[in-house]
Amino acid sequence: QVQLVESGGGLVQAGGSLRLSCAAAGRISTMTFTTMAWDRQAPGKQRELVAAITRGGSTNYADSVKGRFTISRDNVKNTVFLQMNSLKPEDTAVYYCNADPAFGPSVYWGQGTQVTVSS
């Protein structure tokens, strides 16, 4: 059962923009999350953190996306967003959202959404 539902991936030309969304659904839709984040995994590479945001709004970005990507969240709707501008071919990857519950041991993950940037 998918509990973090992602949307917004797709194919875009270099220099373009995409906005990813990730919403908690089902039995975790009303759960309180501390940090919510986006990771990505490109073919043949390890999964890496792209951006993270705390419940209070503090953010952290990978050096490779600073100034181009913006993470935000809606605590009422339990949704996290990733606005991606000035996309580059090296941003091509499967993007995964994750959410760390305030109470409970397990981090929840989305199913992944493909982002492809053509040159």
Side-chain angles (χ1 to χ4, degrees):
Q1 181 181 2
V2 177
Q3 299 183 88
L4 287 178
V5 181
E6 299 157 345
S7 61
L11 173 64
V12 65
Q13 288 188 331
S17 299
L18 284 174
R19 180 177 170 87
L20 305 182
S21 300
C22 173
R27 67 178 183 87
I28 70 167
S29 61
T30 59
M31 193 174 287
T32 298
F33 296 105
T34 54
T35 300
M36 301 182 80
W38 289 93
D39 288 25
R40 68 185 180 188
Q41 187 165 20
K45 295 187 177 181
Q46 288 189 329
R47 190 173 295 193
E48 63 174 352
L49 174 69
V50 176
I53 184 168
T54 68
R55 189 167 183 82
S58 296
T59 58
N60 181 42
Y61 296 93
D63 287 343
S64 59
V65 306
K66 283 180 181 176
R68 300 188 297 121
F69 291 10
T70 302
I71 190 170
S72 61
R73 64 188 283 176
D74 182 331
N75 290 331
V76 174
K77 296 182 178 180
N78 260 345
T79 301
V80 62
F81 306 96
L82 186 67
Q83 177 67 43
M84 305 185 292
N85 298 328
S86 302
L87 283 160
K88 304 175 180 180
E90 51 263 44
D91 295 318
T92 295
V94 178
Y95 285 70
Y96 299 90
C97 70
N98 59 86
D100 192 2
F103 307 100
S106 299
V107 174
Y108 293 93
W109 288 85
Q111 78 282 7
T113 186
Q114 177 70 47
V115 171
T116 303
V117 184
S118 63
S119 57

